[in-house]
Amino acid sequence: MKEKLSKLKNDKNLIRIIFIIGIAGILLIFCSTLFDSEKTEDIDSFSVEEYRSLEENRIKEMVESIQGVGKARVMVTMENSVEQVYSNDNKVKEIEPAIRGVLVICSGADNPVIKETVLESITKALNLSSDKVCITKLKEE
């Protein structure tokens, strides 16, 4: 057994093959890290502030399209940030941040029917409980 090991140790072709396989493995690992870093750069470009702003604009457009609401302002607070979940097949899935609460200030909020319509629209569209939504009257200028 020791003789066979010493013969393998002295076989220069075998040593070269093992060396080439080792270098190829290191190069493959290095290349895979390059491709993964490009993916994470794309993911980092999405921020919570951008998401919050998009939600505020979307809610504002929805609320202002309700009859009798008039002009509206919307503020959204977020529960957490964007979560990135990595699956077994190296794909990244982004989970949107949860909305903590919504404040709507609108001209028609003094009318209880309009206020209830706005409240119901927001709670159903965002799947929020009514205690997380505040609707109040916009001051007249």
Side-chain angles (χ1 to χ4, degrees):
M1 181 85 160
K2 288 184 180 182
E3 287 178 21
K4 288 182 182 180
L5 285 176
S6 64
K7 283 182 184 179
L8 288 176
K9 198 187 283 187
N10 293 332
D11 188 4
K12 292 186 182 198
N13 286 335
L14 182 63
I15 293 173
R16 286 182 186 154
I17 291 172
I18 292 173
F19 181 74
I20 291 171
I21 291 173
I23 295 295
I26 292 170
L27 288 174
L28 285 174
I29 292 170
F30 179 72
C31 289
S32 70
T33 58
L34 289 177
F35 293 119
D36 286 345
S37 66
E38 288 175 9
K39 281 184 183 178
T40 55
E41 286 175 10
D42 293 340
I43 294 166
D44 292 340
S45 64
F46 182 73
S47 74
V48 177
E49 288 302 312
E50 290 171 335
Y51 180 76
R52 184 188 54 76
S53 180
L54 287 171
E55 285 297 306
E56 286 175 349
N57 289 332
R58 194 176 80 163
I59 295 168
K60 181 179 185 236
E61 287 177 15
M62 178 190 66
V63 167
E64 287 181 338
S65 66
I66 297 172
Q67 176 102 22
V69 169
K71 186 178 177 182
R73 293 185 181 162
V74 176
M75 183 177 125
V76 174
T77 56
M78 307 308 289
E79 187 73 33
N80 53 8
S81 62
V82 177
E83 294 182 42
Q84 299 165 354
V85 178
Y86 295 89
S87 64
N88 291 339
D89 55 352
N90 290 332
K91 291 186 180 178
V92 178
K93 178 181 177 185
E94 287 187 350
I95 299 175
E96 296 176 346
I99 295 176
R100 178 184 294 162
V102 177
L103 169 64
V104 177
I105 305 169
C106 61
S107 303
D110 54 346
N111 182 329
V113 174
I114 292 173
K115 189 173 183 175
E116 182 62 31
T117 303
V118 171
L119 177 67
E120 189 174 333
S121 299
I122 291 172
T123 56
K124 290 194 178 183
L126 300 176
N127 196 23
L128 288 175
S129 63
S130 60
D131 65 323
K132 294 185 176 194
V133 179
C134 178
I135 302 165
T136 189
K137 174 109 173 99
L138 180 69
K139 79 175 183 177
E140 296 176 18
E141 295 178 16

